[in-house]
Amino acid sequence: MRGSSTDPTRAPGHRRARGTAGALATAALLLPLLGAAPAQNATGSAASTLQRAFASASARYHVPQTVLLAVSYLQSRWDTHDGAPSVTGGYGPMHLTDARTALAAAEHFGEGTEDARGDSARPALHPTARIPADSQLPPRLRTLTKAAELTGLAASDLRTDEVANVAGGAALLADAQQGLGEPLSADPAEWYGAIARFSGADDTATAAAYANDVYDVIHTGEQRVTDAGQQVVLAAQPELAPDTAQLAETGLRTVAAAGTECPKKVSCEWIPAPYSQFGNDDYGNHDLGDRPASQSIKYIVVHDTEGQWDGVLNLVQDPTYVSWNYTIRSTDGLIAQHVKAKDVAWHAGNWYINAKSIGIEHEGFLAAPDAWYTEAMYRSSARLVAYLTKKYGIPLDRQHILGHDNVPGPTTSTVPGMHTDPGPYWDWAHYFALLGHPVKQTAKKGGGLVTIRPDYTANRPVYTGCVTAGQACAAHGSSEVRLYSGPGETYPLIKDIGLGTTPTTGVNDLSSRVSTGQQYAVADRSGDWTAIWYLGQEAWFKNPKKYPTAVAATGSVVTPKAGVDSVPVYGRAYPEASAYPSGVPAQAVSPLPYKLLAGQKYVVGDKVPGEYYYAVTFTTDSHKVVVGKDLYYEIQYGHRVEFVRAADVTVARSGR
């Protein structure tokens, strides 16, 4: 909820009388829609309609404009998305939630029926998701209804009109402030408690993390051009000191974070996935381990849930389902941990990657073009990932911070069924900036390597199938760049032979796409077009000098050893047969239908030994980590990473 799940009339520590919803609505109806607004913004240029809307709502509801701007930035980075809902049914720049309306209009629930464990010996059951009744939705997912009551504005206007939406958010903040017995002060420092309540969190830690993020935005200031082309500016106030003592008046619960593995600056609670045994000697829904002592943790895998928070938590607590280590709530960034880092969750669809990774689910829906992810969730996720990568020595790059869509199929038969989340609308550039490792140029222009880096807002490739198969998705910023078989959009799209299908612009078709942060070796250039080595072929993408979609990079590359025409590519780095001890069946080192061809180059991520975690029984006495002598290189082969044997290739440094 963006307001509160606790009745504000019962919050402790009241010092002043609470205003009523009726009074706020009456006041709203008596005032003009825009009111008096400044003619210029902080940059001296003419204020946009949206900037004026913040000024008007501030005057109307007596909420400091600084607070409104900062809250809205954290909710949506001031974007409206043409009235389309977010992943939790949030509408407009204030992210007013009407989840049932949003869910009823969606057609995609659930990621599919693949075995996320990535081991055919242990298939998982997948319950069918359903749209919950309105009464079953928590208040944090129904704030638009409350805003309509406070303002007297129609729910349809609050969903689609940015001016009305900002007014609705201001009314909710004013209502929260008065519900705490606080005055409608002009001082932004005196709104900490109301901001905490507005977050929708039902616990103090999550609410405080949200409020602190809002004040961080105020301290640093922000300015950007929104996806609708409107400039919005928030001037920095670095000396502002919020009244954090107000948190004690909110009446929110205290979450027991005992047992969680999270950084101190996030709210984290323990909702364990069950390690339990059931019929036919089966068990679920993860494996006990001893990482990193037994085996290193090399990857973070970023997922989206394709489902609503409460339903997703039900799934991870089902022993017949799969598991993951963490889930992050979209509305406020609350983190729930389910599986300890020492243990192996079943989340990636590739057993090798599962055994070497930590999986993080983000509440959201991939196949809606404006199903963007909230700033609160981005920031919470980035803090968690920064903490985990430091703790386990995981490099902060795109060959170690993987999307689920970058995880390779472990065998040829699994390649077509691998998952495609978090999809083309996850803002990898923004995410890595929050991680403190922005995606940037690291070599002189014209070098041998490139890092994919389009302008997220301006980059709007056409996708289809978000709602109806074959129909175009709504225009939206994207982290991904499309690939063609020649230097122009009239050439066919690049084909992925592992999928065995004709490539399309479908939102889930990864055959001809590269993503922000991924690195590739340059194969050729022609005018505004650059070719890279991709899936064993030259793949061309538009990369104009004035508006580049990639930047020059440095790194190491592999190519087949001299005199070898091609070498096999693998979806997992398993040991050679002689490495397996008695009692542990040797796993097939089976190549995929791909080849690394002579003269082609692919960027290296890691050099790793072949490794297999044997865990097929509920009791752990037979569990073993098998490590071989054969070494592998992880490479950025296509949209997904793959592996090649070190004995088959030569490594060289590229870029300058």
Side-chain angles (χ1 to χ4, degrees), residues 14 24 42 44 109 111 259 308 328 331 346 385 450 452 494 646:
H14 284 190
L24 279 171
F109 301 96
E111 287 187 307
Q308 186 259 343
I328 303 181
T331 47
W346 304 347
V385 169
V450 290
I452 305 303
I494 286 294

Side-chain angles (χ1 to χ4, degrees), residues 27-40:
L29 293 172
L30 290 174
L31 288 166
L33 186 60
L34 287 177
Q40 294 183 325

Side-chain angles (χ1 to χ4, degrees), residues 8-173:
T9 64
R10 297 179 182 175
H14 284 190
R15 294 194 295 272
R16 298 168 183 83
R18 179 182 183 272
T20 66
L24 279 171
T26 301
L29 293 172
L30 290 174
L31 288 166
L33 186 60
L34 287 177
Q40 294 183 325
N41 60 26
T43 66
S45 59
S48 66
T49 300
L50 186 56
Q51 186 95 44
R52 294 197 302 272
F54 285 112
S56 172
S58 170
R60 183 188 310 172
Y61 293 104
H62 307 291
V63 180
Q65 188 174 170
T66 297
V67 169
L68 274 180
L69 284 163
V71 167
S72 178
Y73 183 84
L74 200 62
Q75 300 289 76
S76 67
R77 284 192 281 166
W78 301 321
D79 282 331
T80 64
H81 302 294
D82 297 323
S86 76
V87 293
T88 50
Y91 291 85
M94 296 302 294
H95 197 264
L96 304 182
T97 55
D98 184 2
R100 180 159 179 79
T101 297
L103 290 173
E107 295 183 3
H108 301 275
F109 301 96
E111 287 187 307
T113 57
E114 297 84 13
D115 173 16
R117 187 180 192 268
D119 185 337
S120 58
R122 299 198 37 74
L125 303 179
H126 292 253
T128 301
R130 64 179 180 84
I131 302 174
D134 194 63
S135 60
Q136 294 177 308
L137 292 170
R140 66 184 174 83
L141 298 181
R142 295 183 280 121
T143 62
L144 192 139
T145 301
K146 179 68 172 178
E149 294 173 358
L150 293 173
T151 61
L153 297 171
S156 58
D157 290 337
L158 291 167
R159 283 193 291 266
T160 59
D161 183 84
E162 63 187 22
V163 176
N165 188 272
V166 171
L172 287 171
L173 278 162

Side-chain angles (χ1 to χ4, degrees), residues 424-429 452 454 456 459 477-481 514-516:
Y425 306 117
W426 180 266
D427 192 343
W428 285 107
I452 305 303
Y456 179 86
N459 180 52
S478 174
S479 287
E480 298 187 349
V481 176
V514 286
S515 182
T516 294

Side-chain angles (χ1 to χ4, degrees), residues 185-401:
S185 171
D187 184 358
E190 296 184 5
W191 286 77
Y192 188 91
I195 292 169
R197 292 288 292 271
F198 184 90
S199 72
D202 62 356
D203 69 278
T204 55
T206 306
Y210 179 90
N212 291 338
D213 275 343
V214 169
Y215 281 97
D216 283 346
V217 172
I218 293 174
H219 292 154
T220 59
E222 291 289 348
Q223 60 177 319
R224 72 183 294 260
V225 176
T226 70
D227 62 356
Q230 297 201 60
Q231 184 180 34
V232 183
V233 179
L234 169 60
Q237 297 185 35
E239 304 302 323
L240 186 70
D243 181 7
T244 57
Q246 291 180 350
L247 188 66
E249 301 179 4
T250 60
L252 301 175
R253 68 188 177 101
T254 299
V255 170
T260 60
E261 299 164 310
C262 291
K264 293 181 179 179
K265 289 187 177 181
V266 301
S267 176
C268 192
E269 61 180 314
W270 177 242
I271 302 177
Y275 186 70
S276 59
Q277 192 171 20
F278 42 92
N280 300 319
D281 295 323
D282 207 351
Y283 68 96
N285 57 13
H286 59 281
D287 278 294
L288 301 184
D290 188 27
R291 304 186 305 177
S294 60
Q295 53 188 329
S296 61
I297 300 173
K298 287 285 187 180
Y299 306 103
I300 302 291
V301 180
V302 173
H303 305 253
D304 77 56
T305 60
E306 296 294 315
Q308 186 259 343
W309 174 262
D310 298 311
V312 168
L313 294 191
N314 288 337
L315 295 182
V316 81
Q317 294 176 85
D318 180 350
T320 66
Y321 199 62
V322 293
S323 62
W324 49 93
N325 298 85
Y326 300 89
T327 307
I328 303 181
R329 193 160 68 188
S330 180
T331 47
D332 52 20
L334 171 66
I335 299 172
Q337 184 176 5
H338 314 297
V339 177
K340 297 289 188 181
K342 73 179 185 65
D343 299 327
V344 177
W346 304 347
H347 63 95
N350 182 316
W351 184 239
Y352 175 81
I353 298 295
N354 280 344
K356 306 289 290 181
S357 70
I358 291 172
I360 304 176
E361 290 277 1
H362 298 76
E363 185 184 23
F365 295 92
L366 177 159
D370 286 308
W372 47 272
Y373 303 90
T374 64
E375 184 70 4
M377 186 172 70
Y378 271 126
R379 292 185 178 224
S380 185
S381 179
R383 289 191 180 109
L384 176 61
V385 169
Y387 163 83
L388 293 171
T389 53
K390 182 177 181 181
K391 184 174 183 178
Y392 297 108
I394 303 170
L396 279 168
D397 60 46
R398 287 286 278 114
Q399 284 189 294
H400 296 87
I401 312 301

